[in-house]
Amino acid sequence: MRLTEEIKKAMKEKNTERLSVLRMLQAAIQNKEIELSKKASGLSEEEIQQAIAKEIKKRRKAIEQFKQGNRQDLADQYEREIMILEEFLQS
């Protein structure tokens, strides 16, 4: 799976921010599998895309709140996370 390869790559490159986002994405996908009771067969590509879109949506909402709270540093961090997540989102 591409995600697993990207996690390994981030670990080798010691890119902690990217590694953190990718691990979060992996956990979100696993949680979705458990939620749908499909652990044995895995998620369909559509369900994986929905999980990624949900994580992006969460971050966009958080960015709005961070900007209202004058926390541009956190807003910038979440924007970088969205860019990483969007790499895995298919059109």
Side-chain angles (χ1 to χ4, degrees):
M1 177 179 211
R2 178 175 170 218
L3 180 57
T4 304
E5 293 303 316
E6 291 293 328
I7 289 172
K8 289 177 186 177
K9 183 178 174 184
M11 289 172 69
K12 288 178 184 176
E13 294 174 354
K14 298 185 188 309
N15 186 338
T16 56
E17 181 177 52
R18 183 173 177 83
L19 180 61
S20 174
V21 173
L22 296 176
R23 283 183 172 161
M24 175 281 313
L25 177 57
Q26 186 177 43
I29 290 170
Q30 288 173 344
N31 287 340
K32 185 75 170 178
E33 287 176 339
I34 292 168
E35 177 185 322
L36 297 174
S37 300
K38 292 186 175 182
K39 188 77 172 157
S41 63
L43 293 177
S44 69
E45 188 62 32
E46 181 180 338
E47 291 166 329
I48 290 172
Q49 293 298 309
Q50 289 172 352
I52 295 168
K54 182 177 178 181
E55 293 300 320
I56 291 171
K57 184 177 179 180
K58 280 192 226 177
R59 279 159 181 72
R60 287 192 175 133
K61 284 185 178 182
I63 287 170
E64 291 175 22
Q65 293 174 349
F66 288 142
K67 286 182 178 179
Q68 289 175 358
N70 294 323
R71 292 299 311 263
Q72 190 60 42
D73 57 327
L74 294 175
D76 291 343
Q77 176 186 340
Y78 273 42
E79 286 176 8
R80 290 190 304 270
E81 289 182 9
I82 288 172
M83 289 178 15
I84 293 169
L85 291 170
E86 285 177 337
E87 291 178 26
F88 294 89
L89 194 61
Q90 296 176 353
S91 304

